[in-house]
Structure formats: structure tokens, C-alpha cells
Amino acid sequence: MDIVFLGTPDLAVPSLKALVENGYNVKAVITQPDRPKGRGNKLTPSPVKEYALLKGISVFQPEKIKNEPEILNSLKPDLMITAAFGQILSKENQRSC
């Protein structure tokens, strides 16, 4: 079963970690784009992105997922799991599963 995980902050990492550690096939992660942070406004990846890259999982960072349905269409997931993603999925996105 191919899973696409959608999440962004620290709060979402334990859910992604549980999927990976229990042997589920997380095909890709979709997370918010890197944002400026700190005094120098340095672009900083989300905690979910950092974990996904550490585990070798593909990462997608659309500005607005509802405007880019081709991402989910190309991944053809069997299941999508969201945890504090921060964007609204359109009905078209939801039909990708």
C-alpha cells in the first residue's frame, strides 16, 4: 500500500515516524515550503521535511496543493494521511486516492 503523508510541524513528526518504523510504505511527503526564520530570515525546512529526508522519502513542497493536483495524481497513493498540514485539500486532491 502506497501512502502519501501530508504534514508540517513538530506535532506531525511522531505520526510519520510511527508509519516508517512500523514498515508502512510512505511513498512521499507533502509539506509546506521552507520559510524564513530567525534573525537572519534564513530559509528553514519544516520538521516533517527534515525527518523525511533523513529517511530517504521523497518530499514535495507546493505553495498551494489545491493548485497542483498533478502532484497527487502522479503519486497515485492508496492512502493519504494528514497531520497538521496547514493547507486545505480540494475535492480533486481527495479523489487522487
Side-chain angles (χ1 to χ4, degrees):
M1 178 181 340
D2 291 335
I3 297 172
V4 171
F5 184 87
L6 299 94
T8 301
D10 287 325
L11 175 74
V13 174
S15 298
L16 176 57
K17 187 175 182 181
L19 290 168
V20 171
E21 289 180 354
N22 285 293
Y24 289 95
N25 181 32
V26 180
K27 187 174 187 177
V29 163
I30 300 176
T31 188
Q32 295 283 346
D34 298 350
R35 302 281 188 218
K37 189 174 183 180
R39 185 173 262 201
N41 281 331
K42 181 179 176 187
L43 283 181
T44 305
S46 73
V48 166
K49 178 183 178 181
E50 289 178 336
Y51 182 80
L53 292 176
L54 179 70
K55 295 298 180 179
I57 301 169
S58 298
V59 175
F60 296 88
Q61 296 182 275
E63 194 63 46
K64 296 239 185 235
I65 189 69
K66 69 180 182 179
N67 295 337
E68 299 186 43
E70 65 277 357
I71 292 173
L72 289 171
N73 289 336
S74 68
L75 293 170
K76 297 181 176 147
D78 297 310
L79 180 67
M80 292 189 304
I81 298 175
T82 62
F85 177 48
Q87 293 188 30
I88 296 172
L89 296 173
S90 69
K91 287 186 181 192
E92 187 172 328
N93 291 139
Q94 294 171 22
R95 282 187 226 127
S96 297
C97 255

